[in-house]
Structure formats: C-alpha cells, structure tokens
Amino acid sequence: MEIVIIVAVIASLFFVIGIAEPLAARLRLPYSVIIALLGILIGSAAIFFLQTTLTDALNPLAEAILNLPIRANVFLYIFLPLLLFQVTLGMNLRRMLDDWVPILVMAVVAVVVATLSVGYALSYTSSLPLAACLLVGAIVSTTDPSAVVSIFRSLSAPQRLARIIEGESLLNDAAAIALFGLFVSYVMLGVPDPKLGEALGRFPMLIAGGVMTGWILSQIGLRIMGLFPRYEQAQMSISVALPYLAYIIAEQLVGASGVIAVVAAGLTLNLAGPRRIEPTTWTNMRETWDLVAHWAGALIFILAALLIPRLLEGTTVTDFLLIGVVVLAAILARAVILFGLLPVLTLLRLSPVVERPYRVAILWGGLRGAVTLALALAVTENALVPVEIKRVVGILATGFTLFTLIVQGTTLRSVIGRLGLDKLSPLDQALANQVIAVSLQTVREDVAKSSDNYKLNHEIVRAEAKRFGERLDAVVRSAEAGANILDRDRITLGLIALAGFEREQVLIRLRDRSISARIGEAALSQTDHLIEGARTHGRTGYQRAARRAVSYGRAFRIASFLHNRAHFSAPLALLTADRFERLISERMILRDLDTFIDARIRRIHGRRVADLLRELLGRRVENIETALFGLRLQYPGYAEELERRLIRRTALRMEEREYNIMHEDGLISEEVFISLIQDISARRLQAEERPMLDLQVQRADILRRMRLFEDLDDAVRKPLGRSLRTRYFDPGDKIMRKESHARSVFFIASGAVELETAGQISRLGRGDMFGELALLTGKPRRTDVRAITPSTILELDEKRFRKLMRRSPAIREAAKIAAAKRGVSIDALLEETS
C-alpha cells in the first residue's frame, strides 16, 4: 500500500505543477514564487494534520508527504544536471560568445563578492567559525536562472542585456556550487579559519577540471551519435546520459566540479550539435529537453519547498537577526556588482550600457530558489558537519530564500511599475502600431478574397468591411502620425522590421532544410545583430552589423595564421567552406526582401523610407556578391559544387512537398507515401553532406585559371601546385618588407596588393607576380608590399622558381616587363636562367 500512496503523492504534485503556471499568470507573480508557496502550504498542511487531534484520516497521506525519499543527493544528482544541461542547450551561444567577457566577469566576481560579503558579515555578528560563514555565503549566492530570465522577458528588456543576465545567472550557479563544495570540505575537516588565498586558489582547478571533463564526454557522445544518424530516439537517450555521466565522473573520479562539467558538456553539444545531428532530430531533442527540464525544475522546487517547515524548526530571535544580516549583505554585494563593476565594464566597452532602472530591477529580482535549498539540505544531512552548524545553515539559507521569494518576488511587479519598465518606449509603441497596421491590411485583403470565394451576403460584407476599415484607418493614422517619432526613428523601425522578416525567412529555410542547421544558426545570429544594431544605433548600427557579416573575423585570422605559419590547414578549410555556404544562403534570402519592402514597409512608412531601405539592401547584396566573387576566384571548383548541392536540396524539398500534397488529397496511399518519404530521406542524407574543401586540390584549379601558368601542361602544373604555398592576408597586412632577404617569389591568386618603392606607389591584382627582381639580382628587397583587399597569395621558393622560369616563357616575359618598368635590364640574368 505504501508504494500506492507514494505514487498518488507524486501524481498529485504533477497536478499542482500543472495548475501553478496559469495561476502565476493570473496573479502576475513569478512562477517560482507560486510553486514555492504551494509547496510550503502542502508541507505545512501535512505537519498540521499529523499533529492535530481533529482527525486521523489524513495521517497516512501526511506521513507519505513528509516521508518522501527527499535527500540532498536526489536534488544534486537527479534534478540539477537536468536543469543546467537544458539551460545550456536553449541558450543562443553564438550571440553570448560576443559578450563572454561581461558574462564571465559578472558571474565569477559576483559569486566571490557575495560569498565574502555574507561570510565576513556573519563572522562579525555570530559565533560561527569563518569556514561555516563562508559556506553560508556560497549557498545564498546562487540565483534562480529561470526566475531572472522570466523577469526580463516580462520587461521586454533589450536582447543583449537579457542574454548577459541569463548567462551570468547560469554561470553564477555553477561557480557558487563549486565554491560550496570547497567550503563544505573545510567544515567537515574542522578547519575553522581557512586561508582565503588557499581556498580561492583551488577554485580555478575545480573549474578547469570540470570544463575538460564536460568537453571530452560531450565530444565522445557526439561521435557515438554520429554512428547512427537515423536513430533519433537512440541519440536522445545518449543526450540524457551525458549530463549525468559528466557530473558523476567529474565529482567522483576527477575531483573537479560536477556542475561545471555539466555546463561544459551542454555548451559543447549546443555548439557542435547542429552540424553533427540531423536538423529534425536536433529540434526534437531540444523540445524534449524543454519538457523534461520543466518537470525537473518544478519538482525540485516543490519538493524543496515541502522541507521548508522542517528546516525552520527551532528558529530563535537571534536566527531572525542573522537572516537580516544575510539579506543585507547579499543585497549589498549584488549592488556593488550592478552599480560598481557593471559601469566599469561599460566604460571599457566590454558591456552594453545598462540603465539605472534596469539595474534596480536586476537587484530586486535576484530571487533564490531550489538550488539554495538543495545545498542547505546537503549540509543538514552531512554527518561530518557539527549539529549547531547544520541547524544555523539550514535556517539562514531557508530564511533568506523565503525573503527573496515572498518579499522580493511578490513586490517585483510593483517595483517594475514604479520604475516605468512596464511601459513601451515611444519607439517600441510605434513598432507595435506598425505591426498591427501591416497585419490588418493583410487581413483585410484576405477577408475580401474569402468573401468573394464563399459568395457571402454583400450587405453584411460591406457593413463589416466599413467597420474593419475604420479600425484600420485609425491604426494606420497612429502609425503614421507618431508625433514623438523622428524621421530617423521611422527608418529604424523599417530596418527592424526588415531584419525581422529576414529572420523569418531563415527559419523557413531551416524548417524545409534548404540550408543546413549550422549555417542557419549563424544566419539567425546575424539577423539578431542586425536587429540590435538598428535598435541601438539606427542606420549606422544596421550597416555596421551588415559589414560584419561579410568581414573576416578573429577566428578566420587565427585559422589563416595557423595555415601560414604552422601549415595546419583544417580550421581554415572549415571556416572557408562555412563562409562560402553562408554567403550563398544569405544572397538567396536577401533576394526575397525587396517584395517585403514594397508590400509591407512602404504602406506604413512611405516611399522615401522604402527607397532608403532598398538602397541599404542593395549595398548588402553588392558586398555579398563581391565577397562571393573573391571566393569564386580562389576556389572556382568548390563554388560550383556548393551551388549544385543547393539545387539538389531545393529540388528534394519541392519533391517532398508534392508528395505531402498528394497524400493529404488522398491520391496516394499511406504505404506509398511512407516509401516515397523514406527514399527522399536517404537521398537527403547524401545531399546534405557538404563537400570537403581541399586547399591542395583547389590550388591546382587556381593555377589552371591564372594567365602566367596557361602555357604549362598538366605534367608541370601538378607538381608545381604541390610546391606552391598558399598564404592569406587581410587588408593592411604586410606581405613583403624592404631590406629583407629574397628567398621566394609571390603570385596573386585573388585580391590586390600595393607596392611602395622609393615613394612611388603601384598596384597589382589577380594573376600578377612580385618579388622576382630581388630574387634574380640577389640584392635586398627595395619594396614594401601590403594587401589592400583580402588576398590569397601563392609563394614559391627560389630553387623551384628558377626551374619554373626555364619552362615558362610567359613568366620570363612577365619578369622582363616588370624590370623594364623600373629601368632595370635582366636579359643577362634570364639567359643564365635559361
């Protein structure tokens, strides 16, 4: 009968979880506050029914609730890995990497400051040893990521700010739990006054060990998933095992932080998963994890809340005073971060500007939750921790959690209202009016078509059309009037709408798999940059983000350095292939935006704004075409392969759509439909596999298309291609310096360079040669050469160059012409070479 009661209790808790979310929405309170209050009520009711003499009928149920097998290990080993892993999978890491400095600094520094602030405040005001005080500080420095994220979503906060706070909340938990493990070991060993430098010195090792463990296990998991790409459920099962293995191995075998290992494993899977796992499987995996984590998060909260009445047993007046000390110290520590460190990061241009009202909202919205209660429970259950320390730690952590949930959580909405953060800015209100106006115009057209198709009563149609038209006219006037909206803001609104539509197009192509998940994620990140750039800096921000999309970033420069200096070409080949595919996909998407400008934006903002947006769009298309042209010159054969792949994927999408239509119309049976879809799936796997970019093969293709090597036959060209060294240069990079010793000659495969000799400037382009005169004459170089565009240069050593000159009249003639331009005759040298 006992198992029946336990199952009934767990099922009832799921029922409570189900009603908590709509109840929170109706009461306009954070979900975590409602779920915690319900848990406290259930736990208190169970204690009441056991102690009351009114009835004994509910005693078995009350005993089952209070005797549920809830231990700290249940929270730390079952629920916590699920929660942390899901949060990492749902994060937009490509965008968060742009702000990794403020996220990391705020997370680690905030935890350390909160731990020290609370620890030393308690040490001065209580009789607890310093180690126990610092342990309390680590426990209460964890914030509830789900509560913080939901707050900022309700505020409609800037996306970049919301991302920083979300990332800080996640890493905050990981760092705090790592510190918790450190200080609880001191308490168990009976070290009353640990040396702070020694304690914090172990902190980086806990993090580094966890990061390595999580990364290695995630890579192993991805390789195993790659062995059976068609088995979706098998891949999901491995993803479920991954956080648990990472946590246990890091904690029990490596001696590192299990929480850090789970976070590292999730981040690795988030970054590498979209390109190694089939898009449909990846989407389903994330949706499954969302549901599992929702249940786990609610259960950990409600089960922890059930324990609150027991954790607060035996509370004294002194304990309440100490709870007040913890509250003041924790709030002060967070205020130091928000009003001290954050402005410094902004001055250093490492963080966006965070307005004072937002900082106040973040300060008051620092809710604590189930993780804090779980850590406190772990201390109270530890047999090696002294009894008095157990009691005080449990009371202080629980009391502080209740203060943040009941006092801060219930008043947060009113604080937000007083700060004016619950109202749309003039720009956002204008954007809302634009969305309504555009939507209503589309609805009016669709309703008119439907009325004609269904032959509805003309009088009713006219009456409703008049009523609808009045509403539409009012909305359009509101959108057009905008007395407080300047012309530049109208342009900003148009750019935000244009970037938003571009994002929708990317999502559509991701769903129909005409672009890969890897490229789709990068494209979504780019549209987010466009939206934020337009929102914060208008036209300038939009253009800056658009230029960034076609520029060579830091990763590409590092890959070029590895290729040029270390002859390690794999990263460069991967990034170049990604750039190729992304530019082709972006060009395809931008072709569809003209129609949106004419059909939507022009209706609201007029011809002038529409023409300006079309001009900006034209510049983006031109920049992409230029970048693609340069890549085609470098890798002509690879460009053709990618375009063939795009055509094949598009054809498969259209073929699948036709089969779906026939199946829905009943023209083909279920058996035939399944057979056709399976055939398409098999062909799609082949079509989605991107061809490898082999820089060695592409070099031979480049030589074939360069005029200086046209007179060479394949027997000479192939070994020459193996001898040439490919080097990549960004604009401004020095390729050749004055007074350097000549050991090689250079050929321009693509791009352009500028030569400076005795104050004279000249330029060379694709197919030209330089550096040969100094090599032939044996004198130091007299010319500085730098790239003026992204350039691919082929370098050939002296021995092979002299051998090449004997075989190629074209190269001998080119060297002779270059020497004549500088007033130098090299006929004698050429005769010696021949």
Side-chain angles (χ1 to χ4, degrees):
M1 189 62 182
E2 181 181 350
I3 187 64
V4 175
I5 295 177
I6 292 177
V7 172
V9 170
I10 297 297
S12 301
L13 292 181
F14 270 98
F15 180 81
V16 172
I17 291 169
I19 66 173
E21 190 168 5
L23 182 61
R26 179 174 291 269
L27 297 177
R28 297 174 63 80
L29 290 173
Y31 173 69
S32 55
V33 172
I34 294 297
I35 203 77
L37 291 177
L38 291 174
I40 294 172
L41 289 175
I42 294 172
S44 301
I47 293 175
F48 170 77
F49 282 115
L50 276 181
Q51 295 177 351
T52 186
T53 58
L54 296 177
T55 179
D56 294 331
L58 296 176
N59 284 1
L61 182 60
E63 289 178 354
I65 291 174
L66 296 177
N67 294 325
L68 283 173
I70 306 171
R71 298 291 181 268
N73 286 343
V74 173
F75 294 116
L76 298 179
Y77 281 90
I78 296 180
F79 294 127
L80 190 60
L82 289 178
L83 290 175
L84 295 175
F85 196 74
Q86 184 274 332
V87 172
T88 58
L89 286 184
M91 295 168 70
N92 188 342
L93 287 183
R94 296 184 185 276
R95 298 305 318 279
M96 284 191 172
L97 288 176
D98 296 337
D99 297 303
W100 68 272
V101 173
I103 289 174
L104 194 60
V105 170
M106 284 185 64
V108 177
V109 174
V111 167
V112 173
V113 170
T115 300
L116 297 181
S117 176
V118 173
Y120 280 100
L122 279 177
S123 179
Y124 286 125
T125 56
S126 72
S127 59
L128 290 173
L130 179 60
C133 295
L134 292 173
L135 175 62
V136 174
I139 291 174
V140 301
S141 63
T142 61
T143 56
D144 181 6
S146 60
V148 174
V149 172
S150 64
I151 290 165
F152 274 85
R153 286 174 181 167
S154 67
L155 292 179
S156 298
Q159 290 184 11
R160 189 182 179 198
L161 175 59
R163 277 197 308 272
I164 290 177
I165 300 303
E166 181 181 357
E168 183 261 342
S169 298
L170 173 66
L171 298 182
N172 175 297
D173 269 4
I177 295 173
L179 275 181
F180 165 81
L182 187 65
F183 289 121
V184 79
S185 65
Y186 285 119
V187 173
M188 289 189 300
L189 294 173
V191 180
D193 191 9
K195 295 181 180 179
L196 194 60
E198 178 185 346
L200 296 180
R202 292 178 54 193
F203 186 50
M205 296 305 297
L206 292 173
I207 294 178
V211 169
M212 288 303 299
T213 303
W215 181 80
I216 291 172
L217 287 176
S218 188
Q219 290 292 336
I220 294 173
L222 283 168
R223 289 186 178 275
I224 295 174
M225 291 181 194
L227 298 177
F228 32 81
R230 299 185 184 181
Y231 297 89
E232 181 176 306
Q233 294 179 349
Q235 292 180 330
M236 288 186 182
S237 300
I238 292 173
S239 75
V240 172
L242 187 57
Y244 291 113
L245 291 176
Y247 191 92
I248 293 171
I249 291 174
E251 289 279 342
Q252 303 298 326
L253 300 181
V254 180
S257 169
V259 173
I260 299 291
V262 172
V263 172
L267 295 179
T268 304
L269 185 62
N270 191 333
L271 284 172
R275 67 174 182 270
R276 298 192 189 180
I277 299 174
E278 193 172 340
T280 304
T281 302
W282 178 250
T283 301
N284 293 338
M285 183 182 295
R286 290 180 59 169
E287 291 176 353
T288 301
W289 268 101
D290 288 343
L291 179 60
V292 171
H294 172 72
W295 287 339
L299 281 174
I300 189 176
F301 223 121
I302 198 168
L303 290 174
L306 288 174
L307 302 174
I308 287 178
R310 278 186 285 171
L311 289 172
L312 291 178
E313 286 180 350
T315 306
T316 64
V317 175
T318 303
D319 295 329
F320 281 111
L321 293 176
L322 290 181
I323 290 173
V325 171
V326 173
V327 169
L328 291 176
I331 292 177
L332 178 63
R334 193 155 180 83
V336 168
I337 298 299
L338 292 169
F339 295 93
L341 178 61
L342 200 56
V344 172
L345 294 179
T346 301
L347 289 175
L348 297 175
R349 297 184 178 180
L350 296 176
S351 171
V353 176
V354 182
E355 303 295 339
R356 182 176 296 271
Y358 283 112
R359 280 182 275 167
V360 174
I362 297 170
L363 176 64
W364 198 246
L367 307 185
R368 270 59 169 184
V371 175
T372 302
L373 293 176
L375 296 180
L377 184 63
V379 175
T380 61
E381 292 178 356
N382 195 319
L384 298 178
V385 176
V387 175
E388 181 59 22
I389 292 179
K390 287 183 184 181
R391 189 190 73 83
V392 176
V393 168
I395 289 172
L396 294 183
T398 305
F400 180 68
T401 302
L402 285 176
F403 174 84
T404 64
L405 291 174
I406 296 175
V407 178
Q408 293 179 234
T410 56
T411 60
L412 182 60
R413 182 72 58 179
S414 61
V415 170
I416 290 171
R418 287 183 175 273
L419 294 171
L421 296 177
D422 57 346
K423 298 179 178 64
L424 292 176
S425 66
L427 184 61
D428 287 330
Q429 186 60 56
L431 179 59
N433 291 336
Q434 175 196 2
V435 170
I436 295 172
V438 171
S439 300
L440 290 182
Q441 289 192 40
T442 303
V443 169
R444 181 175 66 175
E445 295 170 0
D446 292 341
V447 168
K449 292 178 182 177
S450 299
S451 300
D452 291 338
N453 292 337
Y454 294 118
K455 307 297 182 184
L456 298 179
N457 186 286
H458 291 293
E459 293 182 3
I460 297 176
V461 170
R462 279 196 298 270
E464 289 300 316
K466 181 179 179 181
R467 181 181 175 187
F468 189 88
E470 290 173 353
R471 182 190 174 200
L472 177 58
D473 290 340
V475 173
V476 171
R477 284 195 300 272
S478 176
E480 290 178 342
N484 297 324
I485 303 300
L486 302 175
D487 286 344
R488 66 171 179 268
D489 291 332
R490 295 183 183 276
I491 295 172
T492 298
L493 289 173
L495 289 173
I496 293 173
L498 187 64
F501 181 73
E502 183 177 342
R503 195 178 198 281
E504 291 178 10
Q505 296 303 303
V506 173
L507 290 172
I508 290 172
R509 283 163 173 77
L510 264 176
R511 285 193 292 267
D512 63 24
R513 300 167 74 171
S514 58
I515 61 175
S516 65
R518 178 187 178 89
I519 300 304
E521 290 287 338
L524 289 175
S525 178
Q526 167 60 20
T527 57
D528 289 342
H529 277 296
L530 292 170
I531 292 171
E532 285 188 17
R535 181 178 289 276
T536 54
H537 299 291
R539 187 194 317 181
T540 304
Y542 181 90
Q543 290 176 306
R544 187 184 300 125
R547 286 193 298 269
R548 181 180 177 183
V550 297
S551 63
Y552 290 92
R554 185 181 306 164
F556 199 93
R557 288 194 292 272
I558 294 173
S560 298
F561 176 83
L562 292 174
H563 174 82
N564 294 339
R565 302 296 182 186
H567 306 289
F568 180 50
S569 301
L572 182 63
L574 176 63
L575 290 176
T576 303
D578 282 349
R579 177 177 172 81
F580 234 133
E581 187 175 0
R582 182 170 54 81
L583 289 174
I584 290 175
S585 301
E586 189 172 354
R587 182 188 61 178
M588 177 179 64
I589 291 170
L590 292 185
R591 297 292 184 186
D592 296 334
L593 300 188
D594 271 330
T595 305
F596 177 75
I597 294 175
D598 289 332
R600 302 294 182 91
I601 293 178
R602 186 173 178 179
R603 294 182 178 182
I604 303 301
H605 296 293
R607 180 189 298 273
R608 191 179 68 82
V609 173
D611 290 343
L612 179 60
L613 296 189
R614 194 177 290 105
E615 179 184 348
L616 293 175
L617 186 61
R619 291 178 189 171
R620 285 186 63 192
V621 173
E622 183 180 347
N623 290 336
I624 290 173
E625 292 286 4
T626 302
L628 272 175
F629 180 73
L631 286 173
R632 290 179 191 279
L633 292 178
Q634 294 179 39
Y635 316 108
Y638 190 71
E640 295 171 1
E641 291 182 33
L642 282 182
E643 290 185 347
R644 289 195 189 96
R645 174 173 172 259
L646 177 62
I647 293 172
R648 286 195 294 268
R649 295 179 70 164
T650 303
L652 284 172
R653 173 173 56 86
M654 294 178 176
E655 184 179 350
E656 184 178 25
R657 184 179 60 195
E658 289 298 317
Y659 293 154
N660 282 321
I661 293 173
M662 291 181 184
H663 179 249
E664 291 171 0
D665 293 341
L667 298 176
I668 56 177
S669 65
E670 184 72 20
E671 294 79 7
V672 173
F673 176 71
I674 292 175
S675 175
L676 293 172
I677 293 300
Q678 288 176 345
D679 177 60
I680 282 185
S681 298
R683 285 184 287 145
R684 179 173 278 130
L685 285 176
Q686 298 177 352
E688 287 182 349
E689 186 175 350
R690 188 173 67 185
M692 295 293 295
L693 175 59
D694 189 335
L695 299 180
Q696 185 77 21
V697 173
Q698 295 297 321
R699 192 184 303 132
D701 203 2
I702 292 171
L703 293 180
R704 193 176 298 110
R705 295 168 184 262
M706 291 179 63
R707 56 180 176 78
L708 288 177
F709 304 105
E710 287 177 348
D711 58 343
L712 298 178
D713 55 32
D714 288 340
V716 177
R717 193 182 292 117
K718 288 181 180 179
L720 175 62
R722 290 191 293 269
S723 303
L724 285 165
R725 180 184 172 195
T726 308
R727 301 182 65 185
Y728 298 86
F729 296 92
D730 288 329
D733 288 350
K734 280 286 186 70
I735 302 173
M736 198 172 77
R737 298 179 182 274
K738 289 180 181 178
E739 306 304 326
S740 61
H741 184 67
R743 294 188 178 90
S744 56
V745 67
F746 305 91
F747 303 91
I748 304 174
S750 68
V753 302
E754 189 173 75
L755 291 74
E756 181 181 353
T757 307
Q760 299 294 318
I761 302 293
S762 59
R763 292 180 176 179
L764 300 177
R766 178 175 179 265
D768 289 330
M769 173 178 62
F770 60 91
E772 73 282 359
L773 292 182
L775 189 147
L776 290 172
T777 59
K779 298 179 181 179
R781 303 190 189 276
R782 299 180 179 179
T783 304
D784 276 331
V785 182
R786 66 180 183 88
I788 56 177
T789 65
S791 302
T792 303
I793 306 297
L794 303 178
E795 184 179 3
L796 188 64
D797 62 62
E798 179 180 1
K799 179 180 177 181
R800 290 185 174 87
F801 175 67
R802 292 184 180 277
K803 183 178 180 181
L804 177 63
M805 289 194 67
R806 289 194 292 269
R807 296 188 176 186
S808 174
I811 291 181
R812 288 199 302 271
E813 185 63 24
K816 187 175 181 180
I817 293 173
K821 288 181 179 179
R822 300 183 191 178
V824 178
S825 176
I826 58 171
D827 290 341
L829 295 174
L830 291 176
E831 289 178 4
E832 292 178 6
T833 303
S834 303

